[in-house]
């Protein structure tokens, strides 16, 4: 087994940057955290055990660095501001009638393959993900990009599982609504 | 009988935790009768797959 070289690590920079950007949503922090990851990897490359791919190994380092950053930020800015919480609750409620029926039935998006292969779907998806309120996006991406468990996210952010599930549910409702409106319009 | 609003909460939570037997049964019953929630359920899976794809696709 040989330690990965500088070039091999450097080739993964675009991948790492995209990963970090999805979670952090600001280029400067994403670039910093990727730079730190590549440096740590270079310093520690003798320890790369070759049990996983270099990509998996680097992703693991990056994930730790991102979680550290989120933890520091969570200390500085409390996670759920009351304002955000109120307006997002209203937005979620507005999607249903008083008797609990959908205002508008979610449409059939076809098979996952079809949606994911559709360039327009991917554009709309990126657009709608970027439109998420910052705090919601932070939590949602911890779940979907970092793939942390309920326990891990609650521990990092100091919230309860019930809180977390409400935030995630509202995030999904808003995201699918946005996609459906924009993608539907495009298809018509 | 679950409302669509309640079903949507359970469908979302199903992505976070294993649902209990009672929850699963009530959800299945609702989905049998409700095309909107069935679509919503599929949409959640598509959204999850779309994020992972965006994260992992080669530059």
């Amino acid at each position: 087994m040989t330690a990965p070289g500088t070039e091999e690590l450097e080739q993964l920079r675009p991948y790492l940057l995209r990963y970090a950007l999805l979670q952090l949503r600001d280029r400067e922090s994403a670039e910093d955290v990727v730079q730190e990851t590549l440096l740590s990897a270079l310093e520690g490359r003798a320890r790369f055990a070759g049990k996983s791919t270099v990509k998996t190994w680097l992703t693991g380092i990056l994930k730790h660095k991102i979680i550290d950053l989120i933890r520091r930020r969570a200390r500085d800015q409390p996670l759920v501001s009351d304002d955000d919480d109120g307006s997002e609750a209203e937005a979620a409620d507005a999607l249903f009638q008083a008797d609990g029926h959908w205002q508008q039935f979610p449409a059939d998006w076809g098979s996952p393959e079809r949606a994911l292969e559709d360039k327009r779907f991917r554009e709309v998806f990126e657009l709608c993900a970027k439109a998420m309120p910052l705090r919601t996006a932070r939590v949602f991406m911890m779940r979907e990009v970092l793939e942390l468990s309920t326990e891990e996210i609650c521990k990092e952010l100091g919230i309860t599982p019930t809180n977390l599930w409400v935030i995630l549910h509202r995030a999904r409702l808003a995201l699918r609504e946005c996609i459906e409106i924009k993608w539907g319009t495009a298809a018509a | 009988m679950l409302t669509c609003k309640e079903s949507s909460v359970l469908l979302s939570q199903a992505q976070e935790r294993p649902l209990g037997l009672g929850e699963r049964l009530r959800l299945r019953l609702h989905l049998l009768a409700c095309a909107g929630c069935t679509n919503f359920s599929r949409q959640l899976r598509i959204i999850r797959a779309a994020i992972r794809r965006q994260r992992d696709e080669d530059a």
Side-chain angles (χ1 to χ4, degrees):
Chain A
M1 182 222 65
T2 53
T6 315
E7 257 175 62
E8 195 180 347
L9 296 178
E10 203 49 54
Q11 272 172 5
L12 287 160
R13 186 188 287 270
Y15 157 75
L16 295 172
L17 194 58
R18 195 173 44 243
Y19 188 114
L21 206 51
L22 261 174
Q23 173 68 54
L24 297 170
R25 304 221 308 182
D26 99 78
R27 185 158 283 275
E28 207 184 322
S29 336
E31 276 170 1
D32 286 352
V33 90
V34 167
Q35 192 58 40
E36 241 186 280
T37 299
L38 289 169
L39 270 174
S40 299
L42 268 178
E43 287 162 2
R45 67 189 160 146
R47 287 194 301 275
F48 174 66
K51 283 179 191 145
S52 58
T53 63
V54 174
K55 189 172 173 179
T56 308
W57 178 60
L58 275 180
T59 308
I61 300 175
L62 177 66
K63 207 166 137 174
H64 275 108
K65 305 261 178 219
I66 291 176
I67 294 172
D68 280 346
L69 185 61
I70 290 173
R71 195 178 294 148
R72 289 202 299 274
R73 282 185 181 173
R75 242 179 283 145
D76 298 342
Q77 326 161 241
L79 182 82
V80 183
S81 88
D82 295 337
D83 286 357
D84 269 14
D85 208 40
S87 60
E88 290 188 272
E90 272 173 36
D93 276 344
L95 298 172
F96 295 93
Q97 298 171 19
D99 67 0
H101 276 87
W102 294 97
Q103 290 285 5
Q104 284 211 292
F105 260 37
D108 185 355
W109 289 1
S111 70
E113 294 75 23
R114 179 187 159 254
L116 298 184
E117 289 307 324
D118 182 358
K119 189 164 162 284
R120 179 67 196 158
F121 176 86
R122 293 209 302 272
E123 286 168 6
V124 163
F125 181 82
E126 268 193 67
L127 203 76
C128 291
K130 279 191 190 135
M132 275 185 167
L134 199 59
R135 289 189 171 81
T136 307
R138 192 194 298 170
V139 180
F140 185 66
M141 296 305 176
M142 283 174 90
R143 177 68 189 113
E144 302 296 346
V145 174
L146 302 182
E147 297 187 47
L148 299 181
S149 67
T150 292
E151 292 73 26
E152 289 169 310
I153 299 174
C154 289
K155 188 175 128 243
E156 294 306 334
L157 301 177
I159 58 178
T160 66
T162 311
N163 274 165
L164 172 65
W165 294 336
V166 168
I167 295 172
L168 291 174
H169 181 49
R170 286 182 192 153
R172 291 181 180 124
L173 284 175
L175 187 56
R176 70 144 294 280
E177 179 79 3
C178 175
I179 293 170
E180 194 147 301
I181 292 169
K182 290 191 166 31
W183 192 34
T185 320
Chain B
M1 183 80 172
L2 292 174
T3 65
C4 294
K5 195 174 179 177
E6 291 164 341
S7 299
S8 77
V9 169
L10 283 182
L11 285 168
S12 185
Q13 287 191 9
Q15 297 208 317
E16 314 309 328
R17 64 176 178 94
L19 298 181
L21 181 60
E23 289 173 322
R24 285 207 306 274
L25 291 175
R26 271 175 284 148
L27 200 51
R28 274 170 63 187
L29 193 64
H30 180 91
L31 291 179
L32 270 176
C34 180
C37 286
T38 305
N39 288 342
F40 177 72
S41 167
R42 292 208 191 104
Q43 291 179 357
L44 290 183
R45 289 202 291 275
I46 293 177
I47 285 172
R48 178 160 278 183
I51 295 177
R52 292 191 181 160
R53 181 175 173 137
Q54 197 186 333
R55 181 191 68 188
D56 296 335
E57 72 190 343
D58 294 318

